[in-house]
């Protein structure tokens, strides 16, 4: 299978390591070395540990000339283009895949896969890259030192990096130059019982290619469809146990 699409790469400029950063040295934080904190993050009230939030992407319903999910994501999180495609922030990539055997072409949005076995979390030296009890993988921007270990460790190129100053950050998605970042599964919306912005936008476009729900609840629509459709994980051979599953492509 060949894959084409725009991909983000780690910043090559050492200046990205500089700029900002307000570290919080409070309860549960240990100073390992100057500028390096080890933190133990308590679970948030929204996380029961019972749910595992996930996305099911039906590529049979996704089309090449639609980017509603990408636009909704960028609008929601204040991801503004600086006219530099190589480094402009984009948390969902639309990718076209071709099955070399059949010639079948599919379009698939790829975002952070919110891995159960998240390499980005494993390699982070400060605890900034974290996984909530409900499976959502996030970056604590206050703790990120911009080392980009996570960017390099992510096998899906889903962990991005803020290369530019952020002039008007979205109030629901604080960002700052020099920090790692990526899809939050719109945790701010989930916490309020709303759907992620990409899911809502895809439905509004009439395609309904992205389904959100609790993978741990066998009675949920997403859990039923994962089984019924034989949904697959990207690069299952890597055993990262993603919370995002795909239908309609021979992965
Ligand atoms: S897709 Fe990448 S950034 Fe997201 S949880 Fe997995 S390893 Fe981390
Ligand atoms: S760049 Fe990634 S690995 Fe490094 S501190 Fe930030 S979140 Fe952790």
């Amino acid at each position: 299978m060949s894959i084409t699409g725009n991909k983000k790469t780690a910043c090559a400029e050492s200046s990205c390591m500089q700029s900002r950063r307000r570290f919080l040295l409070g309860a549960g934080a240990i100073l390992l070395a100057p500028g390096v904190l080890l933190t133990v993050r308590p679970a948030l009230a929204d996380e029961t540990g019972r749910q595992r939030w996930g996305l099911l992407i039906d590529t049979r319903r996704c089309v090449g000339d639609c980017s509603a999910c990408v636009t909704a994501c960028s609008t929601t999180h204040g991801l503004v283009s600086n006219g530099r495609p190589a480094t402009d922030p984009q948390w969902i990539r639309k990718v076209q895949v071709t099955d070399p055997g059949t010639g079948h072409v599919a379009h698939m949005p790829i975002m952070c896969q919110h891995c159960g076995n998240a390499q980005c979390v494993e390699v982070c030296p400060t605890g900034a890259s974290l996984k909530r009890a409900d499976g959502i993988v996030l970056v604590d921007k206050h703790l990120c030192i911009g080392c980009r270990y996570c960017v390099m460790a992510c096998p899906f190129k889903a962990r991005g990096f803020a290369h530019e100053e952020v002039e008007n950050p979205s109030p629901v998605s604080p960002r700052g130059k020099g920090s790692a970042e990526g899809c939050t599964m719109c945790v701010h919306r989930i916490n309020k019982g709303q759907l992620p912005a990409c899911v809502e936008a895809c439905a509004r476009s009439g395609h309904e290619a992205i389904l959100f729900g609790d993978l741990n609840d066998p009675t949920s629509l997403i859990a039923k469809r994962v089984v019924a459709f034989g949904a697959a994980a990207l690069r299952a051979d890597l055993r990262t146990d993603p919370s995002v599953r795909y239908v309609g492509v021979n992965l």
Side-chain angles (χ1 to χ4, degrees):
M1 176 174 292
S2 61
I3 300 180
T4 55
N6 56 321
K7 296 178 179 177
K8 298 291 174 286
T9 55
C11 173
E13 311 157 33
S14 60
S15 62
C16 288
M17 295 288 287
Q18 304 165 2
S19 81
R20 45 115 249 227
R21 237 144 285 123
R22 299 181 299 278
F23 292 109
L24 302 178
L25 184 54
I30 302 166
L31 189 61
L32 295 177
V36 180
L37 294 176
L38 174 65
T39 60
V40 180
R41 176 184 160 278
L44 300 178
D46 312 286
E47 307 165 54
T48 64
R50 290 190 294 272
Q51 293 108 344
R52 181 180 180 186
W53 299 125
L55 299 171
L56 176 63
I57 296 173
D58 191 337
T59 65
R60 299 168 301 186
R61 304 184 67 91
C62 183
V63 294
D65 61 356
C66 175
S67 56
C69 57
V70 177
T71 301
C73 177
S74 295
T75 302
T76 298
H77 297 285
L79 309 181
V80 179
S81 168
N82 297 292
R84 287 182 274 280
T87 55
D88 277 346
Q90 187 180 342
W91 293 356
I92 301 178
R93 287 176 288 136
K94 276 290 293 295
V95 169
Q96 176 178 306
V97 296
T98 305
D99 187 320
T102 64
H104 174 70
V105 174
H107 302 277
M108 47 202 295
I110 296 181
M111 63 289 284
C112 172
Q113 304 290 293
H114 298 278
C115 305
N117 175 22
Q119 297 307 296
C120 59
V121 174
E122 291 291 321
V123 301
C124 179
T126 68
S129 192
L130 59 95
K131 184 154 70 72
R132 296 185 6 147
D134 57 14
I136 297 176
V137 176
L138 300 172
V139 177
D140 184 329
K141 308 291 178 14
H142 295 291
L143 299 180
C144 177
I145 57 173
C147 67
R148 284 164 284 165
Y149 287 179
C150 59
V151 177
M152 291 181 278
C154 173
F156 305 107
K157 297 191 185 302
R159 182 55 64 82
F161 191 78
H163 294 264
E164 310 274 353
E165 297 289 355
V166 180
E167 299 295 340
N168 296 302
S170 162
V172 300
S173 197
R175 303 172 56 238
K177 181 180 179 182
S179 174
E181 58 183 18
C183 160
T184 65
M185 214 184 273
C186 281
V187 68
H188 65 286
R189 293 171 61 93
I190 293 173
N191 285 347
K192 292 190 290 186
Q194 299 172 339
L195 293 171
C198 59
V199 178
E200 200 172 79
C202 184
R204 206 181 305 121
S205 75
H207 296 107
E208 297 186 330
I210 313 176
L211 179 64
F212 166 81
D214 181 5
L215 292 167
N216 275 354
D217 177 2
T219 67
S220 70
L221 188 57
I222 189 172
K224 288 178 180 173
R225 286 191 177 172
V226 163
V227 174
F229 295 159
L234 281 182
R235 293 300 309 270
D237 56 309
L238 297 177
R239 301 180 188 276
T240 65
D241 185 23
S243 296
V244 181
R245 310 287 168 81
Y246 292 85
V247 176
V249 279
N250 188 13
L251 298 172

